Amino acid sequence: MVLPTGAGKSIVIAELARIAKGRILILTHVKELVAQNAEKVGLLTEKASIYSAGLKQKSTANKTVVASIQSAIKNPAQFSEPYSLVIIDECHRVSSEKESQYQQLLGYLKTQNPEVKLLGLTATPYRLDTGWIYRYHYHGKVGNQQAPAFEQCIFELPLRPLIKRGYLTPPKLFDGLSAQYDFSELTPSASGSYSESQVDALLNLAGRATTAIIKQLIELAQSRQGCIIFAATVRHASEIMALLGQHPAGLITATTPALERDQIIESFKQQELKFLVNVAVLTTGFDAPHVDLIAILRPTASVSLFQQMVGRGLRICEGKTDCLVIDYAANGFDLFFPEVGQTKPDSTSVPVQVHCPVCQFANIFWGKVDDDGDLIEHFGRRCQAIVETRQGKQQCDFRFRSKPCPHCGKENDIAAKVCSHCHQVIIDPDKRLKEVLSQKHHHLFRCQDMLFEHDKDRLRVRYLDIQGNDFSCYFRFNTAAQIKAFYGVFVHSHTKTPGCKQPNLSSVDQVIAAREKFRVPDLLLLKKTKKGWELMERYFDYKGRFQSENKFT
């Protein structure tokens, strides 16, 4: 179940514990959520047992047990009585790896009751390293087909209706108002995190920006009840604390002792502290409804983490009319859009809707739009719809972008290593290029730009490399067959919006006018012939080593 932060996951869990006939085990990863869930269970039904070293309680006596996964996995024998239902809060943290803590405990529980049911709840059902955490969505779309932790998403509640009906505080989201960090040159890891040393190195050059940002936050906080500041690194957080000076503020990092952390959080909740600065904590399991100013000073490639940070300020509270959210790191996420299912390509990308030309399913992909909101480009690969076939429910076969199998010719994902049809190994592009370039008379052309020009009655497409060299292709538009060939050879491979209706291009002038609709290939593989250089292959979406190395022959 996907429920936004503040939607009442604890109440949902408590109600399930009330109506369940068998024993219930509720698992989560932080003691704050253990205590919160146990409290809500006690409000709706009989008291729950708590099994958490952090809360200094280890009991499994009652019908409902609320446990931290870290404590439970250390002594699974304490959970030997059969459970009918296991509920995992913040279930996006569940890995499908068999050796992970959650999977080890679930495996043990299944030996006690093979029919035990598993339900996960989260506000963000996506992991940057593995994608969606479910295989299928009840709206009829495919999630993660590889190794998801859950089979099906059975319910999802959007954020906007909760705000509209008054259950959550309206957020007012702004980019940096006085100054902004530029983290665009940094490359995130698979988990969406950034190298602390690289971030610190960049921030060392941004001292003026930090000073301006904190000065502005101090001014804004005068009319606000509570401000949470998400810092990029421990060093960055210390700098922020120094700039806050005499203003009432607390700092929490991963190394803050538990007792000190609890005291700082309690002081902040009691509004004895106006500012709470933290590094990589307080994104989940933290509830301070009076927070009405969120300052994000750290980069993240994870829309899930971004939503979690903003969610700290969306709970309703007396005297609170909105929550001001300022993204000083230019992360560029739209709080109200669902997750797309792939890593965001760049800071200018936004979620876009693209209909499948085969089944008409409305896919959500990363893409780009113009000032009027019209689609310029999308990065979708395959239709996400679940369709009925003779073999049962399957994912729609249409691929917006693909590469052909050299053995059977069928289309595959652009990153596929094994053909999904004939199961033959698809030659790795780097291996293929290495073999070809080892032969004589071949050249790898690294494209930097693409120009469209008149050449008498022909269209000339000029590909330019980094050194200013060019290679040209020519197309005529005198007959219907020549126009069809242009679409087959050029339009379908170069278009920025595959699968969408393409413009009617039947002349050189029309193509030149539509030049912004086409993308530049990364590489051209050329072969020397008696008549000159001949184009063998174009490479799009290429991520291999030949793009950055001068491997010309």
Side-chain angles (χ1 to χ4, degrees):
M1 296 179 66
V2 181
L3 298 172
T5 300
K9 289 192 287 293
S10 295
I11 294 295
V12 171
I13 291 171
E15 175 64 7
L16 290 170
R18 186 187 70 83
I19 65 177
K21 296 178 180 179
R23 286 172 61 81
I24 306 294
L25 176 59
I26 301 166
L27 295 170
T28 188
H29 67 294
V30 291
K31 66 178 183 180
E32 290 85 359
L33 284 176
V34 172
Q36 183 177 306
N37 286 326
E39 177 192 4
K40 295 301 191 294
V41 169
L43 291 175
L44 296 191
T45 183
E46 61 186 71
K47 183 180 178 181
S49 296
I50 291 177
Y51 196 94
S52 169
L55 296 175
K56 296 181 172 56
Q57 297 183 57
K58 288 190 175 181
S59 171
T60 60
N62 296 340
K63 171 193 170 185
T64 302
V65 180
V66 187
S68 72
I69 182 61
Q70 296 90 341
S71 297
I73 194 60
K74 290 179 179 178
N75 199 355
Q78 291 293 318
F79 303 87
S80 57
E81 288 192 51
Y83 288 87
S84 64
L85 174 63
V86 176
I87 301 175
I88 300 178
D89 196 3
E90 304 294 346
C91 68
H92 58 277
R93 301 182 67 89
V94 177
S95 167
S96 58
E97 296 293 330
K98 292 183 179 180
E99 299 304 314
S100 67
Q101 291 182 332
Y102 279 110
Q103 294 299 345
Q104 287 185 55
L105 184 60
L106 290 172
Y108 176 80
L109 296 172
K110 287 179 181 178
T111 64
Q112 312 304 312
N113 176 17
E115 300 301 319
V116 63
K117 304 300 180 187
L118 174 64
L119 175 68
L121 293 98
T122 182
T124 50
Y126 176 74
R127 291 167 60 102
L128 275 179
D129 55 350
T130 56
W132 299 114
I133 63 172
Y134 54 79
R135 192 181 302 275
Y136 298 109
H137 192 285
Y138 73 105
H139 281 165
K141 68 177 182 180
V142 170
N144 183 350
Q145 295 294 291
Q146 302 304 315
F150 298 87
E151 276 299 304
Q152 193 162 9
C153 176
I154 61 173
F155 180 76
E156 182 167 7
L157 182 61
L159 184 65
R160 201 182 295 275
L162 287 170
I163 295 172
K164 188 176 182 180
R165 295 173 188 172
Y167 293 114
L168 292 177
T169 301
K172 291 186 176 179
L173 185 61
F174 297 95
D175 282 339
L177 301 177
S178 60
Q180 198 171 52
Y181 300 120
D182 182 7
F183 294 107
S184 61
E185 297 300 317
L186 301 182
T187 302
S189 67
S191 61
S193 60
Y194 291 81
S195 165
E196 185 168 334
S197 61
Q198 291 182 356
V199 173
D200 273 333
L202 188 150
L203 290 172
N204 281 340
L205 305 175
R208 287 188 179 180
T210 304
T211 301
I213 288 168
I214 301 307
K215 181 181 178 181
Q216 182 183 66
L217 288 176
I218 291 171
E219 294 174 356
L220 292 171
Q222 292 178 5
S223 59
R224 296 280 160 175
Q225 298 184 48
C227 173
I228 296 180
I229 300 175
F230 291 94
T233 67
V234 173
R235 184 176 175 180
H236 186 216
S238 298
E239 181 185 2
I240 291 169
M241 288 293 292
L243 290 168
L244 286 170
Q246 300 301 313
H247 296 275
L251 170 62
I252 295 178
T253 70
T255 60
T256 304
L259 181 59
E260 181 183 348
R261 169 179 168 151
D262 291 345
Q263 290 173 342
I264 293 173
I265 288 177
E266 186 58 30
S267 295
F268 181 71
K269 288 183 176 181
Q270 296 300 322
Q271 301 190 38
E272 297 167 2
L273 300 176
K274 176 62 73 79
F275 300 92
L276 188 54
V277 183
N278 78 102
V279 184
V281 291
L282 303 186
T283 53
T284 59
F286 175 76
D287 186 4
H290 75 285
V291 172
D292 54 2
L293 175 56
I294 299 286
I296 301 173
L297 279 68
R298 55 159 295 177
T300 178
S302 168
V303 65
S304 297
L305 180 58
F306 185 83
Q307 290 175 341
Q308 293 282 9
M309 289 189 286
V310 174
R312 299 308 102 201
L314 299 189
R315 296 184 186 277
I316 55 176
C317 180
E318 185 177 351
K320 178 178 171 181
T321 57
D322 60 40
C323 180
L324 181 61
V325 182
I326 309 180
D327 181 10
Y328 290 103
N331 290 297
F333 291 112
D334 188 323
L335 186 63
F336 294 103
F337 271 93
E339 289 163 296
V340 174
Q342 291 87 33
T343 304
K344 190 174 184 179
D346 55 50
S347 60
T348 62
S349 296
V350 297
V352 297
Q353 189 177 86
V354 181
H355 286 83
C356 173
V358 174
C359 71
Q360 300 305 311
F361 181 78
N363 293 276
I364 301 295
F365 297 135
W366 287 116
K368 298 184 179 182
V369 297
D370 60 20
D371 293 339
D372 296 324
D374 294 327
L375 181 66
I376 297 174
E377 183 174 13
H378 75 79
F379 304 105
R381 294 183 181 181
R382 183 177 179 180
C383 177
Q384 300 297 298
I386 301 172
V387 296
E388 292 285 352
T389 69
R390 293 180 180 178
Q391 292 75 35
K393 291 184 178 180
Q394 294 183 358
Q395 184 175 359
C396 176
D397 281 337
F398 182 78
R399 295 184 183 275
F400 292 89
R401 287 188 170 91
S402 62
K403 65 179 179 182
C405 170
H407 305 283
C408 68
K410 297 289 187 178
E411 292 184 342
N412 286 271
D413 185 79
I414 58 176
K417 295 182 179 179
V418 177
C419 178
S420 59
H421 301 275
C422 70
H423 306 295
Q424 293 289 318
V425 175
I426 299 176
I427 299 175
D428 179 75
D430 279 354
K431 183 178 179 181
R432 156 79 172 153
L433 288 171
K434 184 177 180 180
E435 291 176 351
V436 173
L437 293 174
S438 64
Q439 305 171 26
K440 292 182 178 181
H441 310 305
H442 287 84
H443 175 71
L444 194 57
F445 191 96
R446 296 166 61 198
C447 296
Q448 295 294 310
D449 201 358
M450 183 171 64
L451 304 178
F452 296 81
E453 301 173 352
H454 269 282
D455 184 79
K456 299 179 181 178
D457 62 340
R458 302 179 301 178
L459 169 68
R460 181 188 184 188
V461 179
R462 292 180 61 202
Y463 300 99
L464 304 177
D465 70 8
I466 195 170
Q467 297 173 332
N469 302 312
D470 69 331
F471 174 80
S472 298
C473 293
Y474 298 88
F475 300 94
R476 295 182 184 275
F477 296 84
N478 299 327
T479 66
Q482 289 175 340
I483 296 172
K484 184 177 181 180
F486 173 70
Y487 272 83
V489 172
F490 185 86
V491 174
H492 294 311
S493 60
H494 289 72
T495 180
K496 293 180 178 179
T497 56
C500 301
K501 185 178 180 181
Q502 298 300 319
N504 180 26
L505 303 174
S506 57
S507 70
V508 175
D509 288 334
Q510 288 176 345
V511 176
I512 293 176
R515 59 187 177 277
E516 296 300 325
K517 297 183 180 296
F518 302 110
R519 58 181 181 150
V520 182
D522 298 304
L523 302 172
L524 301 179
L525 181 59
L526 308 177
K527 182 179 180 180
K528 187 74 170 180
T529 67
K530 292 181 179 180
K531 295 182 180 181
W533 290 106
E534 177 184 336
L535 177 62
M536 295 181 65
E537 294 178 49
R538 296 181 181 91
Y539 289 85
F540 294 90
D541 306 301
Y542 178 77
K543 303 296 182 183
R545 70 187 187 94
F546 285 95
Q547 189 172 20
S548 58
E549 295 181 14
N550 246 333
K551 296 291 182 180
F552 294 159
T553 302

